[in-house]
Amino acid sequence: MTRFASICRALFLISAVAATLSACNKGTGADGAAPAASGPANAASAPPVGVTTVTAVQRDLAVELTATGTVAPLSSVDMRPQLTSVVSKVHIREGQFVKAGELLFTLDSRTDEAKVAQAQAQVARDQAALADAQRQLTRSRELLAQNFISQGAVDANQATVDAQTALVASDRAALAAARVALGYARVTAPSAGRAGTINVYPGSAVQANTTTLVTITQLDPIAVAFSLPQRHLADALAALPGGGAPVSATLPEGASKLEGRLKFVDNLVDPASGTVKVKAVFDNPGGKLWPGAFVNVAMTARTLKGAVVVPQAAIIQSARGDIVYVVQDGKAQARPVQLVHAEGENAAVTGVQAGDKIVLDGRQNLRPGAAVVERSGDGAARPAGAASSAGKKASAP
């Protein structure tokens, strides 16, 4: 009896194993592998996904670059004397705006005035000697014509005249040099600008090419220096011959905004940062831009003509690249796109056409081929194909 029970138990286990294997074979293919479920088929059989859409539009999109710039004067000159002397008079005040050629300082010039007078006297003396030599030459030529003197005497007089003429020319050059030195006693502004701190006063001794009297800084026009990424170097260089790309500068407090033009691109790309230094020039009649100040700079590098623009938030980064979901016949279709340029909330892309309905909200719940139902701004469901108010706002240029 015990043996019979053991045999029955063994037969029961064999039957159970056979039933299990049969059930497994029904769920596998001929090669023993489970058949993969079709993604679009499952997506199509799933309930519709609520989404909001926007319409891709075609328009011109400006490629605008933003950076932090530093205000820099076009010229800033440290005024130094060109002779060692003493300041006689200061003709300007600190912070005064001066014109080109305006007198700034007068130095003690009595020594140079005496040198000019001495040079003038030397010129007068040598001119008198030259006049006498010329008379002697004329007389010797008359005597030579009458055969009273030899040709050698005439030649000697001619040499005296030539030497005296050269001496007078040398005296005049010395007089001009003395006048130049005398002119250094008057320190004038090389260009229009604003005077900074005055470092000397009447009676101050100054050293030639060493002592800084004052700094004259040009404020109008003025420049703003900033850096551009290397990828935009070609756009900046292309814009220079046409007057430069438009650039706007805004003070940090946002009180004022000035418009200028790109005027300079450096000849070297910084290998550490991958940027190139550039300068834009601004009219600054009110002195709103001050040297050394920081400003927010925006420059239009170029304009993408007829670009297809979609909201940047609608772009999904996948393992195979960027995609967007397009609603077509009530279903979501994945479209690979290539980002051309992103500007704020908008992005110019290729891979979709103007008028395509792009999924904005709800894209994270979609699969290719999934049925969709569009929602209005208040969350109410609407038939696929109706334009949502949220989509209209997002796609507005």
Side-chain angles (χ1 to χ4, degrees):
M1 187 68 180
T2 303
R3 184 176 179 182
F4 178 77
S6 299
I7 294 172
C8 290
R9 188 182 298 109
L11 292 173
F12 176 77
L13 292 174
I14 293 172
S15 299
V17 172
T20 303
L21 292 175
S22 177
C24 291
N25 288 335
K26 291 181 179 179
T28 59
D31 56 355
S38 173
N42 288 348
S45 62
V49 180
V51 298
T52 59
T53 62
V54 296
T55 303
V57 296
Q58 186 174 21
R59 63 180 176 89
D60 295 343
L61 182 66
V63 178
E64 190 172 82
L65 309 176
T66 58
T68 300
T70 305
V71 181
L74 292 179
S75 67
S76 184
V77 182
D78 292 334
M79 303 302 301
R80 293 186 175 93
Q82 293 181 272
L83 54 85
T84 299
S85 184
V86 175
V87 177
S88 296
K89 189 174 182 180
V90 178
H91 299 274
I92 59 171
R93 304 182 307 276
E94 291 181 334
Q96 176 182 338
F97 284 91
V98 298
K99 300 178 180 179
E102 184 173 346
L103 181 63
L104 306 179
F105 301 91
T106 300
L107 306 180
D108 185 4
S109 60
R110 290 173 295 178
T111 301
D112 294 311
E113 290 174 354
K115 290 180 180 179
V116 169
Q118 181 181 5
Q120 288 176 333
Q122 185 68 32
V123 169
R125 186 185 68 178
D126 291 337
Q127 282 180 333
L130 174 60
D132 181 66
Q134 288 174 339
R135 288 192 296 270
Q136 293 294 336
L137 177 60
T138 301
R139 187 177 300 110
S140 63
R141 285 174 177 172
E142 293 175 352
L143 295 175
L144 176 62
Q146 299 174 8
N147 294 324
F148 287 114
I149 59 174
S150 64
Q151 181 64 43
V154 175
D155 294 341
N157 288 333
Q158 181 65 55
T160 302
V161 169
D162 294 342
Q164 200 64 33
T165 301
L167 184 59
V168 170
S170 176
D171 293 339
R172 287 175 176 170
L175 175 60
R179 285 174 175 169
V180 169
L182 179 61
Y184 291 153
R186 291 170 52 87
V187 181
T188 59
S191 61
R194 186 178 187 271
T197 302
I198 297 177
N199 301 313
V200 296
Y201 305 93
S204 299
V206 294
Q207 297 292 323
N209 301 316
T210 301
T211 306
T212 300
L213 306 177
V214 70
T215 300
I216 303 298
T217 302
Q218 183 179 353
L219 297 182
D220 184 25
I222 201 166
V224 173
F226 57 101
S227 297
L228 284 181
Q230 179 182 349
R231 64 180 179 274
H232 295 292
L233 176 59
D235 296 329
L237 292 175
L240 282 179
V247 181
S248 63
T250 307
L251 296 174
E253 60 272 15
S256 58
K257 182 177 181 180
L258 289 85
E259 300 295 332
R261 289 280 179 177
L262 184 70
K263 294 297 182 181
F264 167 75
V265 178
D266 201 2
N267 57 0
L268 176 67
V269 175
D270 186 353
S273 62
T275 60
V276 59
K277 295 180 180 179
V278 298
K279 283 185 180 180
V281 177
F282 295 80
D283 291 331
N284 191 33
K288 295 180 180 179
L289 297 179
W290 213 250
F294 292 98
V295 294
N296 298 319
V297 180
M299 188 190 87
T300 302
R302 57 193 172 102
T303 301
L304 300 175
K305 299 292 185 180
V308 177
V309 181
V310 300
Q312 190 172 353
I315 301 175
I316 302 172
Q317 295 180 350
S318 68
R320 296 184 178 180
D322 295 336
I323 64 169
V324 296
Y325 278 107
V326 178
V327 175
Q328 188 173 8
D329 298 330
K331 295 183 180 181
Q333 305 292 335
R335 295 274 185 88
V337 296
Q338 183 176 1
L339 180 64
V340 178
H341 177 70
E343 183 66 39
E345 297 181 354
N346 296 324
V349 297
T350 59
V352 294
Q353 302 295 325
D356 287 347
K357 301 180 68 176
I358 310 299
V359 175
L360 182 59
D361 295 328
R363 62 194 182 281
Q364 67 277 6
N365 301 323
L366 291 178
R367 296 293 183 271
V372 298
V373 58
E374 295 187 52
R375 295 193 305 262
S376 60
D378 56 3
R382 296 178 292 105
S388 67
S389 58
K392 291 180 181 178
K393 293 180 181 178
S395 63

